[in-house]
Amino acid sequence: MTSFTLPPDYPRIQRVNSFEELVSTPFARGVNAFCWPRTLPGDFSEVVELLGGGEGIVTLDDTRLLALPVSAAGRVAVDILLADQRRLREHDLDPVLNCIHGYPRDEDAGPVSTDVFSFHADSATVAADTWLCTYHGAASEGLRNDEAQRRVDLPATRAELLRQFGGEDNEEFREYLKENCYDLHYAPVPLARPFSFGLGNLWRIATDYPGCPVPPCIHRAPATLPGHPPRLLLIS
Ligand SMILES: [Fe+2]
């Protein structure tokens, strides 16, 4: 596993040194992402190979993982996959482990594509964070808030959305943007420097919910390309 460095000079990400610190530190002073950097032992590629081919998103349960005929190194990986989920469940979270061969694309995107390949903020109606760890394959990517512009604020995009909406730029229109999740998607500014979440690192990132004390962490799924290994992703 290659060594991982957090993006330099970006105060919104705070590195933590343990799971306990990751789970208990509140988002404050503009920090909207906590990263617990880890170099994990174990052979995750063996796990992915044993899972075999597939399509789309395959959710893996504990029983299936435990039934894989893994080597000792594969067993270490399986144990980590199970332990991470157990830890999150112990904190009343509901983690899901996915083997991702591909995501559905927003085929009929219109002026704002709203699939996971587009930089976006997760949203919630109540206080909630997103947890992410990529164990294998291409890692999730982040975009600095100061290098992101809401797509609905780009004049040409807003004009097109207004045309589609067929009304005035008023409260009703803003509600329309919200209902369609258009207001959660961001465009990188020219010369933006997206960063990788890396492999093995466990992240807790801020979402967009009423009263969230910090701006949401903007992120996206990397492109899943034919012939590339599937991703193994923990998400909660
Ligand atoms: Fe997301």
Side-chain angles (χ1 to χ4, degrees):
M1 204 169 278
T2 51
S3 68
F4 171 76
T5 46
L6 289 170
D9 309 321
Y10 185 54
R12 290 197 188 278
I13 300 176
Q14 186 178 322
R15 179 196 176 104
V16 297
N17 296 306
S18 68
F19 181 80
E20 285 317 311
E21 196 182 348
L22 187 62
V23 82
S24 63
T25 313
F27 289 117
R29 295 178 304 281
V31 170
N32 64 10
F34 294 112
C35 173
W36 179 28
R38 304 186 296 180
T39 302
L40 299 176
D43 190 345
F44 291 91
S45 62
E46 184 193 337
V47 173
V48 168
E49 275 162 34
L50 288 171
L51 288 166
E55 269 185 24
I57 300 172
V58 178
T59 299
L60 306 172
D61 59 26
D62 293 8
T63 316
R64 178 148 184 215
L65 286 175
L66 286 166
L68 293 173
V70 283
S71 68
R75 173 62 53 202
V76 171
V78 166
D79 287 347
I80 290 169
L81 295 171
L82 296 173
D84 278 351
Q85 292 181 81
R86 201 178 313 125
R87 269 200 278 225
L88 294 177
R89 288 188 197 120
E90 281 167 6
H91 286 84
D92 294 327
L93 294 162
D94 193 15
V96 174
L97 180 66
N98 286 328
C99 185
I100 300 164
H101 301 272
Y103 290 99
R105 278 267 179 188
D106 187 358
E107 298 291 351
D108 186 24
V112 176
S113 159
T114 53
D115 60 31
V116 293
F117 299 112
S118 156
F119 280 116
H120 65 277
D122 293 341
S123 74
T125 51
V126 293
D129 310 324
T130 294
W131 292 72
L132 288 171
C133 178
T134 311
Y135 301 98
H136 185 75
S140 308
E141 294 166 358
L143 182 65
R144 293 163 169 82
N145 292 74
D146 56 333
E147 294 183 352
Q149 249 185 314
R150 288 202 317 167
R151 290 195 181 269
V152 297
D153 293 331
L154 303 173
T157 304
R158 196 171 187 90
E160 181 56 23
L161 286 165
L162 261 175
R163 200 191 55 74
Q164 189 177 291
F165 171 64
E168 298 293 309
D169 193 338
N170 55 18
E171 192 51 46
E172 214 181 314
F173 177 57
R174 283 186 285 281
E175 196 52 40
Y176 168 79
L177 297 180
K178 203 179 174 64
E179 272 169 19
N180 289 283
C181 300
Y182 292 142
D183 59 350
L184 295 172
H185 286 261
Y186 293 77
V189 300
L191 303 180
R193 299 154 293 163
F195 55 88
S196 171
F197 279 37
L199 290 180
N201 311 317
L202 187 54
W203 290 74
R204 186 181 135 226
I205 63 176
T207 68
D208 186 330
Y209 67 84
C212 184
V214 294
C217 176
I218 299 163
H219 61 285
R220 74 174 175 192
T224 36
L225 303 169
H228 284 228
R231 306 179 66 207
L232 202 50
L233 177 75
L234 175 77
I235 186 160
S236 177

